[in-house]
Amino acid sequence: MCAAVYVLSTVTGYVLTSALLLKCPNLLHRKKRETFVSKHISHRGGAGENLENTMMAFKHAVDVGTDMLELDCHLTKDEQVVVSHDGDLQRTCGIDTNISDVTYAELPPYLCRLGVTFQRECFCEGGEDKRIPLLRDVFDAFPNTPVNIDIKVNNDTLIKKVSELVVKYDRAHLTVWGNASNQIVRKCYKENPHIPVLFSLPRVLQLLGLFYTGLLPFVPIKEQFLEIPMPSIITKLQDPSRLTRGQRFIAWLADTLLMRKALFDHLTARGIQVKLHLW
Ligand SMILES: *[C@@H]1O[C@H](CO)[C@@H](O)[C@H](O)[C@H]1NC(C)=O
Ligand SMILES: *[C@@H]1O[C@H](CO)[C@@H](O)[C@H](O)[C@H]1NC(C)=O
Ligand SMILES: *[C@@H]1O[C@H](CO)[C@@H](O)[C@H](O)[C@H]1NC(C)=O
């Protein structure tokens, strides 16, 4: 009897504390400094409007008032950080070569027409600009625009070079970087903890585990951005017949578990930005 009372009061105490801290996280955690607000993100600099990841696409996106450019980085053979989604040039340039196997000077121009990954059967007619840009070009052209950098290769030199550029252009406060792989995100954070990082996929799962066990309000979080593609939208965009049952189940589960106002409000109160990708 006595033990039961003890267990019950402990559990009640835990639940109440957890609920209180979930509502008011700043009792325990100092709110992260919100470096920039980004409501409208241009994926690959607004693929669909211009050739993806070109300076022209970025310029257009900034001109129409985007809050943040989202771009992907690779490393050339001569260790230049370039902005490109794919690591190989087959889809974008029609040439069967990897970016890491050619120098920047040797990179071919983009094809005139690129399929837009997120819209089936949609092609984008490119304009004049067909050059694969350097990350440095983007930083030069848009010194005040926040940039979300996806590190596309698990390569220490790439991570180091991106960090060096961010430092050189003094824009750690305008940058967030990461990858779905937690290994890459850990390397990024280790390389330069002053640059905000995204939640990797394993960390999103961990986040859910912490949230549903009530532990989340008690643990510190290093990430500053939670970017999640609305799971239900992914399943709509992909050809449904190409999704396996497993993938459909995961999308449904993610939708159900992740889309929780209490979770989003808690993260926001801790200074962690939550972004739902809509494309
Ligand atoms: C590009 O790199 C991948 C490994 O990342 C390799 O499998 C592929 O053969 C390479 N392609 C070319 C054309 O060298
Ligand atoms: C990183 O990329 C550079 C340039 O492409 C390459 O020379 C180097 O071998 C890569 N490092 C690793 C660990 O893959
Ligand atoms: C993460 O990195 C892997 C290589 O390790 C790459 O294939 C993938 O496209 C990257 N994903 C994102 C979202 O950047």
Side-chain angles (χ1 to χ4, degrees), residues 70 72 74 85 149-154 178-181 184:
E70 190 266 12
D72 312 291
H74 286 274
H85 179 267
I149 301 174
D150 282 354
I151 300 290
K152 291 302 250 189
V153 214
N154 188 357
N179 181 284
S181 138
I184 295 183

Side-chain angles (χ1 to χ4, degrees), residues 185-246:
V185 174
R186 273 209 306 262
K187 281 184 184 176
C188 289
Y189 191 71
K190 199 163 157 232
E191 179 68 38
N192 189 340
H194 302 298
I195 307 176
V197 287
L198 296 160
F199 275 90
S200 65
L201 194 55
R203 285 283 293 160
V204 173
L205 300 180
Q206 227 177 60
L207 182 72
L208 289 179
L210 292 170
F211 175 66
Y212 284 104
T213 53
L215 286 168
L216 179 62
F218 301 100
V219 292
I221 293 176
K222 70 172 185 303
E223 289 86 350
Q224 187 143 7
F225 279 81
L226 176 62
E227 268 183 23
I228 32 182
M230 292 266 288
S232 52
I233 291 206
I234 300 234
T235 40
K236 283 193 192 100
L237 282 175
Q238 292 270 347
D239 188 351
S241 60
R242 278 177 41 209
L243 288 178
T244 63
R245 271 177 57 167

Side-chain angles (χ1 to χ4, degrees), residues 168-185:
K168 182 174 168 216
Y169 282 82
D170 189 23
R171 46 177 305 143
H173 61 295
L174 290 175
T175 305
V176 53
W177 62 345
N179 181 284
S181 138
N182 200 36
Q183 208 189 359
I184 295 183
V185 174

Side-chain angles (χ1 to χ4, degrees), residues 100-112:
S100 56
D101 290 332
V102 290
T103 64
Y104 184 63
E106 289 165 346
L107 282 178
Y110 279 132
L111 294 172
C112 296

